[in-house]
Amino acid sequence: MRAIPSASLSYIPSAFDAWRWLAIYVVASGALYFWVTHAPMAPVVVLRPGPYDAVIPRVSASVPLYLSYALVMPSIVWFGRGRNWLLPAFFAGALAAGLCIVSHLFWPTAVSRSPAVSGWIAWLYRIDTPLAASPCGHVALPVAVTVVLAALRVRAARYYAAWSAILALTVLTTGQHLLADMLAGLALGVGVGGVTTALIRLDVDLRTAAALLLEWLCIVVTLRVALSVGHWGGYLVAAVIVATRQHALFILYHDATHYHLTRRRFANDFLINLAIGVPGLVPIEFYRPLHLAHHRHVGTADDPERNYLYHAQPWKFEPLDTLPLVRQLLGDLFVVNMVKNMRAYRRANGRGASMSLPLLAAISTWGILLVPLVHACTVRELLTLAALWFVPLVTIGALVQKIRSIAEHSGGPGVTAGWNDWTYSWRVGLLGRFFIWPYNINYHQQHHREPGVAWHRLPGLRASDEPVLSSRQLLALLWSGASRRGSQR
């Protein structure tokens, strides 16, 4: 077996980070699992036992071993602390669990189980529903972890392999899953472990990959709920959530512009085009030349951001009066300013995206991914999904991105009181991170100073005595009325 590149395993998370990951995983997966097992959002397919299932005995004593599944992820954090295999193993386990939940969300299944009169199995049946049957997450998660640890040649792989075998047996002897469910979970676990291993071999930053997948999980769940609710109010809420998560994906896309997803260029561009470049209608091949030119010429007449992004718009890098600000924001919300941007770029003989192999591969992959979606959905559902993706992308998402862009660069030293740089940095809270500044993009001054540093390392670049704006100052940066009111107090 070829050795795994050491660069992929150079990150050892702190104990705080590892336990924080676990807490987030437990809360998120627990809430989603409770949802799919108590409020299925589609007709439930009841799986009938096959001939092999009929001969598998129910063993009450196997219930504690079955429940040991809840300890798999905590054990990874505990035994992996201070070791470089913690992140890959945790990534694989969380990905396997997430894919199982998404499957249960769209295609709910339940096992047909015979009633248990007494004993631990009867107790288990009272606290756990027969839903979320296939694929079996009790098998998929530990198998994915085992595959990754085996690929990394970690001694713990043998113990997780034994644990996987025990869980595979107990899901059958408790009657919670059928043989087909277990085999589906096994296949999923092997697949997830293989994909994770491939990402490691490609030196992919698993923190960025995990962030991309987490944003997509949020989008998929939101779209599924919106389809189920089928009400304009639900669509409006979904549009806001989808737009903010698209914006977050574009922040990670910005990082990939600098090859921070992986230094292997084909893999970097393929993965980020797959994640957002293609569905977001902005291939990385189009954006990268403009963005790198922006870094070289920030604040000058050659800065493409100043030439195109704010072309024929009220914003001139100074707070606007009320009516010009309203015109600016409404122009972004209703696509007017986007049309102006595109016209300015075309008049300057700007080139479109080159049809590279990574882009073609990403487009082809999306074509394959959409086939089962088209097959499973009605025409109305497909149109609704398309509207919930593309309308927020060009309206709310464009507005959020413009506000963030305005908050990234000043009009020059001294234009903003107390600020002597072309680029801002911000101190933000949870709401600010969710809507405007996800993934440390608020450290934009540090990013421009060190563009070779990935998003998760940017906070460490800011010196304690460096100035920073408070997110509460954003309104004053945009609106002159806020500045006047502040000076009158």
Side-chain angles (χ1 to χ4, degrees):
M1 181 185 297
R2 187 169 66 88
I4 301 291
S6 59
S8 301
L9 303 170
S10 59
Y11 172 65
I12 299 178
S14 66
F16 174 79
D17 283 342
W19 289 109
R20 182 179 60 177
W21 295 348
L22 181 63
I24 294 171
Y25 167 81
V26 169
V27 171
S29 63
L32 289 172
Y33 180 78
F34 183 86
W35 178 16
V36 299
T37 55
H38 290 79
M41 305 192 73
V44 178
V45 176
V46 179
L47 305 175
R48 303 295 177 184
Y52 294 103
D53 297 297
V55 299
I56 298 174
R58 299 291 179 266
V59 181
S60 184
S62 64
V63 170
L65 293 174
Y66 170 84
L67 295 175
S68 71
Y69 165 81
L71 300 176
V72 175
M73 292 296 272
S75 73
I76 293 171
V77 172
W78 178 257
F79 294 111
R81 65 192 189 282
R83 293 177 170 84
N84 60 1
W85 57 261
L86 170 56
L87 176 59
F90 194 95
F91 177 92
L95 178 56
L99 289 176
C100 286
I101 288 173
V102 169
S103 175
H104 303 324
L105 188 65
F106 282 88
W107 302 283
T109 55
V111 65
S112 176
R113 61 190 187 189
S114 56
V117 178
S118 61
W120 284 13
I121 291 182
W123 170 79
L124 178 64
Y125 286 6
R126 286 196 298 271
I127 67 169
D128 200 4
T129 75
L131 286 162
S134 184
C136 175
H138 275 63
V139 175
L141 190 157
V143 167
V145 172
T146 300
V147 170
V148 170
L149 293 180
L152 297 177
R153 302 178 183 178
V154 177
R155 181 177 298 180
R158 66 187 70 175
Y159 305 116
Y160 282 95
W163 201 347
S164 300
I166 291 171
L167 287 170
L169 179 63
T170 58
V171 298
L172 302 177
T173 57
T174 57
Q176 283 293 87
H177 292 275
L178 303 178
L179 180 62
D181 309 338
M182 186 272 287
L183 293 176
L186 175 64
L188 178 62
V190 171
V192 168
V195 168
T196 304
T197 302
L199 293 177
I200 297 171
R201 292 185 185 279
L202 291 171
D203 284 332
V204 171
D205 186 332
L206 291 183
R207 283 167 288 181
T208 302
L212 291 168
L213 290 168
L214 187 61
E215 298 300 343
W216 266 107
L217 176 63
C218 184
I219 290 171
V220 168
V221 170
T222 300
L223 293 177
R224 185 67 188 91
V225 173
L227 276 183
S228 179
V229 172
H231 186 269
W232 69 267
Y235 294 153
L236 182 60
V237 173
V240 173
I241 295 174
V242 168
T244 58
R245 296 355 296 152
Q246 289 170 335
H247 176 238
L249 287 169
F250 273 117
I251 299 303
L252 298 169
Y253 163 101
H254 159 265
D255 225 47
T257 302
H258 298 278
Y259 295 103
H260 293 323
L261 182 54
T262 171
R263 293 299 178 185
R264 297 177 183 244
R265 298 197 169 197
F266 182 97
N268 181 89
D269 290 359
F270 165 70
L271 290 172
I272 204 60
N273 275 329
L274 183 65
I276 187 60
V278 170
L281 306 180
V282 188
I284 197 76
E285 291 81 358
F286 170 78
Y287 177 72
R288 181 177 285 122
L290 291 170
H291 183 66
L292 296 183
H294 162 65
H295 269 267
R296 291 192 301 269
H297 306 294
V298 63
T300 71
D302 295 324
D303 186 349
E305 186 169 294
R306 299 191 176 225
N307 290 333
Y308 308 129
L309 190 59
Y310 306 110
H311 176 75
Q313 297 170 39
W315 181 250
K316 304 299 179 186
F317 297 91
E318 292 183 354
L320 296 172
D321 291 337
T322 302
L323 288 180
L325 179 60
V326 170
R327 195 164 68 250
Q328 173 70 53
L329 298 181
L330 290 180
D332 290 314
L333 182 63
F334 293 108
V335 199
V336 175
N337 291 340
M338 184 181 295
V339 173
K340 292 179 179 179
N341 301 342
M342 295 170 64
R343 285 179 176 174
Y345 184 71
R346 288 183 178 179
R347 287 171 185 164
N349 296 319
R351 293 183 298 175
S354 58
M355 195 57 67
S356 65
L357 286 178
L359 178 56
L360 285 172
I363 293 172
S364 301
T365 304
W366 266 106
I368 295 170
L369 292 174
L370 289 175
V371 168
L373 182 67
V374 172
H375 177 73
C377 294
T378 65
V379 173
R380 181 178 179 180
E381 289 172 335
L382 289 173
L383 292 175
T384 302
L385 287 173
L388 287 174
W389 176 262
F390 290 110
V391 173
L393 179 69
V394 299
T395 57
I396 302 172
L399 174 61
V400 171
Q401 290 201 50
K402 182 61 71 66
I403 293 173
R404 191 209 75 238
S405 179
I406 290 173
E408 286 178 347
H409 295 290
S410 70
V415 172
T416 301
W419 199 265
N420 297 314
D421 198 284
W422 286 98
T423 308
Y424 296 118
S425 284
W426 296 83
R427 182 176 61 253
V428 302
L430 289 177
L431 286 178
R433 289 190 182 95
F434 184 84
F435 286 102
I436 307 294
W437 294 284
Y439 299 111
N440 296 328
I441 198 65
N442 52 301
Y443 292 98
H444 210 63
Q445 186 183 42
Q446 287 71 31
H447 166 67
H448 269 261
R449 187 191 307 151
E450 297 287 348
V453 174
W455 64 270
H456 43 74
R457 292 174 52 205
L458 287 176
L461 296 182
R462 179 180 170 267
S464 58
D465 58 345
E466 278 191 289
V468 63
L469 296 174
S470 168
S471 58
R472 295 180 180 180
Q473 296 174 261
L474 178 60
L475 181 60
L477 185 73
L478 296 169
W479 182 40
S480 59
S483 303
R484 288 195 296 268
R485 288 186 180 185
S487 62
Q488 292 171 0
R489 291 179 180 177

